[in-house]
Amino acid sequence: MWLLPLFCLLAPSLGSSPVRLLVEPPLRVWLRPPAEPRDARAVGTAWVTVPVDHFNPLDDRTYQMRYMYNEQFFNGTGAPIFIMVGGEWEISSGFLLTGNMFEMARENNGYLIYTEHRFYGRTQPFATHSTENLRYLNVDQALADLATFIGMLKDQPRFSTSPVVLVGGSYAGNMVLWFKQRYAHLVLGTVASSAPIKAEVDFTGYLTVVESAFRAEGGDACAAVLRDGIAATVAATETAEGRELLEQAFKICPPPSDPLDYSDKFTMGYFSGFITWTLSGQVQNARPAELRNLCTNLVNNVYGATPMESIGGLVTSGLSPGQCYEIRYEDYVNSYKNDAVSTGRAWYYQTCTEYAYFQIAPPTGSVFSPLSRWLNVEFYADLCKQAYDSRFDESFVRASVARSNRMFGGLRPDVNNTINIHGAIDPWHYLGVVDRELKESSPTYLVPRASHCFDLQPWQVTDTARMTQVQQAARRTVAAWLHEYYHK
Ligand SMILES: *[C@@H]1O[C@H](CO)[C@@H](O)[C@H](O)[C@H]1NC(C)=O
Ligand SMILES: *[C@@H]1O[C@H](CO)[C@@H](O)[C@H](O)[C@H]1NC(C)=O
């Protein structure tokens, strides 16, 4: 008799091993290094000493900023310098060994450099990421780091007359464009790939592009599975029977794990994010044909028999058999709250204090709209308050975003010699300029069927002819700037 309760307790945990759900919004972009870099021995690593605070003359603290370089093509004094500007990630050698900037250096006898952004990778001004220390993490300081770095290069006789070309993707795409605008005398020109130059709080456009990407690649039938699956999931939260089916579809752990707290709006925001962040991650990283294959599977019920089971099967496809998810908002908050050095904590801080980029569900007219009751600005801003400072509330975030747009011009930057490239299925293109040249000297390219930053990569068999053309156009334009520089 006494064995029975014990057995009952043991049975579920034998059948399913709990995994804490720890998903992140695709706010943070890691500029993936190209696959199969060639001879990594060509790349060296070095460090420079730069100020912690460029804007306070009484603060004389410094820190070590890392960079990598490859001089295999450099053919002597005055030849050009190509700098890949690092964003919110750790740098690695790949872009100094292959990719479109590498080709530019090859074609123009250039020196190749990759700089690391303060507070990311091994470039750490402080031992922790306390909110106090993070005061020195902002783009103004990071651009000043770059200006200092370029100034130091120019102090070397071999580089004193070298023109500098900056290349950057995603947030680092913003950086190169803003750098050219703010420190025009230090660079000849820049290539800004997939740059979301407008900061925005209510970033409904992100999921709007995710939906249209699924529709464009997989047709209305694919969008219908998403629409019906998401609507059914939200409807299922309303009834006891529905919740049981939902928990099966999304592999939520049975007791003794904590139940999914349907009454907590932030838990449900996190659950909503689990769905949308997983789907949008697929779009942001998709090469042509990948979304089409995913849609074929969705439409043919490969992930589940009903639309809700299809969504559940797709977003839980990372679990091994027998594993289940524990979904707790507290775990999500704690993963950002810890003061230890962390890329996720550093970047979310920048979103709270500079860009927001909150990927909320559009309130109406979208397959994601039923989630808008939870996946809203209040949800994203709550993490700003809980992880950093109670003063980081929604109005603080709105003021921060307004400041960024005022400082840099939002969608109306005033910048010459900047090549502005976007992908038509990249959800971030919504915050960039895609429909006009920035200036006569700053052309815009929107590449059909391309997603985030793929023009920086080396050629791949899946590249469309249009992608190859745009990469070549960027190289021709850079070569023309250099020709003019050397022959004027
Ligand atoms: C570097 O290459 C350019 C173009 O091929 C050439 O004109 C120049 O003379 C070369 N400079 C040196 C120092 O070799
Ligand atoms: C851009 O170039 C044009 C033409 O040379 C010049 O008139 C204009 O002042 C430049 N704008 C900036 C912001 O440098």
Side-chain angles (χ1 to χ4, degrees):
M1 208 40 205
W2 57 270
L3 267 174
L4 193 58
L6 188 63
F7 179 75
C8 287
L9 270 179
L10 274 176
S13 49
L14 281 177
S16 52
S17 54
V19 175
R20 281 191 180 183
L21 179 71
L22 277 183
V23 285
E24 278 189 281
L27 285 169
R28 174 160 67 83
V29 174
W30 170 50
L31 195 59
R32 272 159 222 278
E36 298 173 55
R38 293 162 222 174
D39 189 0
R41 282 170 305 178
V43 175
T45 297
W47 302 78
V48 285
T49 304
V50 291
V52 168
D53 187 351
H54 291 275
F55 308 111
N56 177 1
L58 293 178
D59 186 343
D60 60 2
R61 289 174 297 170
T62 57
Y63 77 97
Q64 298 293 303
M65 171 181 167
R66 181 167 69 153
Y67 69 99
M68 294 181 178
Y69 60 92
N70 175 358
E71 49 191 35
Q72 75 182 86
F73 302 125
F74 185 65
N75 81 336
T77 302
I81 301 170
F82 291 88
I83 303 179
M84 174 71 72
V85 173
E88 72 279 23
W89 54 82
E90 173 162 16
I91 60 169
S92 59
S93 60
F95 283 110
L96 302 184
L97 296 163
T98 181
N100 215 35
M101 183 182 82
F102 180 82
E103 297 306 328
M104 288 172 186
R106 191 213 301 273
E107 289 164 6
N108 299 286
N109 311 299
Y111 195 96
L112 283 157
I113 291 177
Y114 197 172
T115 52
E116 196 162 63
H117 191 297
R118 55 168 61 201
F119 289 88
Y120 297 100
R122 292 174 59 195
T123 299
Q124 298 295 340
F126 301 96
T128 75
H129 281 181
S130 67
T131 303
E132 182 82 359
N133 292 338
L134 291 173
R135 286 179 301 158
Y136 300 97
L137 171 57
N138 56 60
V139 75
D140 304 275
Q141 298 281 6
L143 295 180
D145 284 341
L146 264 182
T148 304
F149 177 76
I150 292 171
M152 288 169 163
L153 288 178
K154 297 283 214 154
D155 286 344
Q156 299 180 31
R158 61 179 174 160
F159 293 135
S160 62
T161 60
S162 293
V164 176
V165 173
L166 300 184
V167 179
S170 196
Y171 160 60
N174 297 353
M175 290 175 68
V176 302
L177 187 152
W178 295 340
F179 189 90
K180 176 67 178 148
Q181 185 173 247
R182 185 171 281 184
Y183 302 97
H185 59 293
L186 291 177
V187 283
L188 178 64
T190 76
V191 182
S193 169
S194 299
I197 52 176
K198 182 185 175 210
E200 190 164 84
V201 180
D202 307 79
F203 185 14
T204 54
Y206 187 92
L207 285 173
T208 302
V209 179
V210 168
E211 176 177 347
S212 56
F214 276 110
R215 211 179 279 280
E217 294 285 312
D220 288 343
C222 186
V225 178
L226 297 178
R227 185 192 59 224
D228 296 346
I230 287 166
T233 303
V234 172
T237 65
E238 311 274 359
T239 65
E241 309 79 36
R243 290 176 179 186
E244 203 169 305
L245 291 173
L246 180 152
E247 286 163 22
Q248 279 163 18
F250 290 88
K251 302 209 169 95
I252 312 288
C253 294
S257 291
D258 292 342
L260 180 58
D261 187 355
Y262 295 92
S263 66
D264 181 62
K265 60 187 174 185
F266 295 137
T267 300
M268 295 311 288
Y270 188 37
F271 174 69
S272 306
F274 174 40
I275 299 173
T276 64
W277 303 338
T278 309
L279 292 172
S280 34
Q282 310 262 10
V283 173
Q284 195 170 296
N285 297 316
R287 290 193 169 272
E290 286 178 3
L291 279 186
R292 187 163 292 181
N293 294 341
L294 197 147
C295 277
T296 304
N297 288 344
L298 271 179
V299 170
N300 292 322
N301 295 335
V302 168
Y303 303 110
T306 65
M308 177 165 78
E309 285 171 13
S310 292
I311 304 288
L314 177 58
V315 300
T316 60
S317 58
L319 283 185
S320 310
Q323 290 185 318
C324 60
Y325 277 126
E326 287 184 321
I327 302 185
R328 283 191 292 244
Y329 182 60
E330 198 189 331
D331 294 343
Y332 176 61
V333 170
N334 286 338
S335 71
Y336 285 92
K337 225 173 172 168
N338 191 317
D339 277 359
V341 166
S342 139
T343 299
R345 178 168 165 83
W347 179 248
Y348 208 93
Y349 175 87
Q350 285 198 263
T351 67
C352 300
T353 56
E354 296 182 294
Y355 314 109
Y357 293 148
F358 293 160
Q359 297 153 359
I360 62 172
T364 57
S366 154
V367 300
F368 299 108
S369 295
L371 299 173
S372 68
R373 67 172 86 167
W374 301 305
L375 195 66
N376 49 30
V377 170
E378 191 189 358
F379 167 76
Y380 283 98
D382 186 63
L383 187 58
C384 295
K385 279 194 287 188
Q386 294 216 48
Y388 307 101
D389 193 297
S390 58
R391 286 169 294 184
F392 286 18
D393 60 7
E394 184 179 330
S395 65
F396 170 92
V397 174
R398 289 194 185 278
S400 305
V401 162
R403 177 193 181 275
S404 297
N405 288 330
R406 210 180 296 123
M407 291 297 128
F408 296 107
L411 292 178
R412 302 238 159 244
D414 185 0
V415 66
N416 280 322
N417 284 19
T418 289
I419 306 170
N420 172 44
I421 304 176
H422 287 279
I425 66 162
D426 172 16
W428 292 98
H429 85 237
Y430 198 87
L431 297 180
V433 172
V434 296
D435 55 356
R436 60 186 156 84
E437 317 283 43
L438 295 174
K439 273 230 175 198
E440 203 183 329
S441 65
S442 296
T444 290
Y445 298 97
L446 179 64
V447 190
R449 302 192 70 195
S451 197
H452 203 57
C453 298
F454 284 122
D455 58 285
L456 298 178
Q457 296 278 336
W459 181 85
Q460 292 207 4
V461 282
T462 52
D463 282 350
T464 59
R466 186 80 184 109
M467 170 62 85
T468 302
Q469 279 168 9
V470 169
Q471 289 178 311
Q472 287 172 345
R475 300 212 300 275
R476 265 200 309 276
T477 302
V478 167
W481 294 337
L482 291 169
H483 185 267
E484 197 194 323
Y485 176 85
Y486 287 116
H487 295 92
K488 76 182 168 210

